[in-house]
Amino acid sequence: MSSLKALDRTADRRRSTGELHQSLAPLLPGDDSVLLIPAARHEEQARLEAEVFLGLRAVGGLSAHPLGIVRLRPESDRLTIRVTDAPYVVMCWADQLLPRLSGDPSGDPSGDPRDLITGVPGLRYHRDRGGVHLLRPGMHARITLTGFPARWWDRITDRMHRDCDGRLLQPHPGWTPGERAAYDVDSGWPFPPGPVFSPLLRRIRATAGPGTVNSTDAWSSDGGYRMEATDGPPCPDLIRLLGNGPTGAGWQVTHKRCTCRCDHEHDSCTVDFLDPATGIAVRYGNGRWGRTADQSYEERMAELNAKAFD
């Protein structure tokens, strides 16, 4: 097999995950087919990935990598994520995801238990030489973070423990009652995010445009979800990588207004997707902001990185 043909067979997966061809070549099937992106085998794995993705929606455009994700290694029973080595980005991951008490637990018992938990309910971590492992006690789900010095995570979480004054739930080896209640409420949501956003997270690099600053965001809206990129890729590329392409997520396009091939550089694009397996709609918008890592941006990021450990 020629090296060029092998490169073609891994091209879409590399574009979607950021993986290197050298690491993917041994996985190529014996026929001439392309290398697929495995789905999460277990419902809990998919749900954890989706909740992590949605929990990071406030990260914003901090680098050329959406959510600060440089590369992913998707496997059926786990997901390994290489995060950019910027202290502030790592801080955002910890701050947005690790659960802590919020509000007064002795308040109105008829209220929404999700209002009492900030972060991903039940999420815990441990770290070893393989990275920082995010998991839920008693569940077969794991996300491993790599790409940055593990001591950064310790410094950031140590500060969080001090600032949260006992509200950070990491010291609890199991689920707290409040976390379990919040988890159970989310289980009844009629538009479960797992089947939609686990495949998206496993292809998150597909949402990155060619610029030096990228941001991808998503939230629930109008009986489905909205997803936005500040400076995403050309719509035909995104549709191929998230749609019915060989490595895609199988999303169908129900409507689009695409201007990304015309001369109007700052016109936005919109694409309405439908996940046929669940009937869930995802309305995507590409703002095409034209953001760049200019001097003021670099100065701001340097300031934020310096404060990440304070």
Side-chain angles (χ1 to χ4, degrees), residues 143-183:
I143 297 175
T144 297
L145 308 182
T146 67
F148 56 88
R151 66 180 183 278
W152 288 5
W153 188 268
D154 290 340
R155 291 180 62 184
I156 289 165
T157 53
D158 286 348
R159 176 187 55 77
M160 290 178 66
H161 278 287
R162 295 193 304 269
D163 293 346
C164 290
D165 192 25
R167 291 179 290 119
L168 196 67
L169 298 176
Q170 170 67 21
H172 294 264
W175 293 70
T176 65
E179 289 178 290
R180 178 61 72 176
Y183 177 88

Side-chain angles (χ1 to χ4, degrees), residues 10 14 81 84 96 130 138 146 150 169 184 248 308:
T10 65
R14 287 185 283 114
I81 298 176
T84 187
Q96 298 294 328
T146 67
L169 298 176
D184 290 343

